[in-house]
């Protein structure tokens, strides 16, 4: 398409399995038939799409945190110091327990947003909270997983160094953690509210729409 240039970013810290690209538009004319939504609605359409993207990022972060915990529990059974499994040392046990608490909390936030989506509710606020919390926790879990693994965790012989590199990306894309904190505070303060949109999300098959305001 004339005026469209695409590129691939190289040298990323993680997410090597995914292609992260660039789009450059120079006097690009998009046919009306290719336009999504009505004229002037582009930003709203993009933001509604990001409510879905952020949800998958949140769910993925819970999975990544779980992988950190699974690897750490396994290693904490295998590795012995001072005559016992390192999982018996209280400061190692504390890292495992903290991982678990945030994983359970993050999963509930994701499930809440998912439940609301199924009922056709707008979930910008809930999805943002789940994404912020779960991605930050995944980074902390990855850091602690490396700590549990000691020097082995710092090498690519074990998966946890990859978990850390991948976890860091998700606190940047789909809205940085700073952006999500601003969103949450703005909702709390009443500086931000969901404006009416032309097409409200549809409930999933077999689910009813919730009465307005009933879930908060
Ligand atoms: C692996 C990867 C994949 C990506 N994939 C996509 C993709 O598929 N599609 C896409 O569109 N983008 C994608 N991105 C881009 C990503 O969405 C942006 O990098 C992100 O939104 C941050 O924008 P920025 O890099 O310009 O940072 P900046 O906006 O320059 O921000 C830099 C720092 O300042 C902070 N900051 C900025 N403004 C404020 C403020 N007002 N208050 C407080 N703090 C602030 C930010 O939180 C951040 O810490 C991807 C990025 C990565 C790393």
């Amino acid at each position: 398409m004339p005026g469209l240039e695409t590129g691939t970013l190289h040298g990323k810290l993680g997410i090597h399995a995914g292609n992260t690209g660039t789009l450059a538009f120079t006097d690009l004319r998009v046919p009306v038939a290719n336009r999504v939504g009505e004229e002037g609605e582009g930003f709203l359409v993009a933001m509604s799409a990001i409510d879905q993207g952020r949800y998958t990022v949140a769910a993925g972060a819970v999975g990544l945190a779980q992988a950190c915990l699974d690897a750490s529990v396994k290693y904490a059974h295998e590795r012995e110091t001072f005559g016992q499994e390192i999982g018996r040392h209280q400061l190692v046990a504390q890292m495992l327990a903290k991982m678990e608490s945030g994983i359970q909390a993050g999963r509930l936030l994701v499930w809440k947003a998912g439940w609301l989506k199924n009922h056709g509710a707008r979930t910008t606020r809930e999805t943002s909270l789940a994404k912020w919390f779960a991605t930050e926790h995944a980074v902390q879990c990855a850091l602690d997983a490396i700590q549990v693994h000691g020097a082995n965790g710092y090498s690519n012989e074990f998966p946890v160094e990859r978990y850390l590199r991948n976890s860091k990306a998700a606190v940047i894309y789909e809205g940085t953690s700073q952006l999500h904190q601003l969103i949450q505070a703005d909702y709390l303060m009443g500086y931000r509210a969901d404006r009416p949109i032309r097409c409200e999300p549809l409930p999933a098959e077999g689910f009813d729409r919730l009465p307005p305001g009933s879930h908060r």
Side-chain angles (χ1 to χ4, degrees), residues 12 15 20 169 172-176 178-179 182:
K12 288 182 298 179
I15 319 283
T20 305
I172 296 172
Y173 56 54
E174 300 273 350
T176 63
Q178 288 72 32
L179 178 101
L182 295 176

Side-chain angles (χ1 to χ4, degrees), residues 169-215:
V171 295
I172 296 172
Y173 56 54
E174 300 273 350
T176 63
S177 290
Q178 288 72 32
L179 178 101
H180 288 295
Q181 288 169 77
L182 295 176
I183 289 175
Q184 292 305 315
D186 283 355
Y187 273 118
L188 287 170
M189 293 298 293
Y191 302 153
R192 179 190 180 106
D194 294 336
R195 283 177 289 163
I197 50 175
R198 188 168 54 83
C199 303
E200 289 291 336
L202 290 172
E205 203 176 331
F207 289 83
D208 295 326
R209 191 180 290 286
L210 295 172
S214 62
H215 60 278

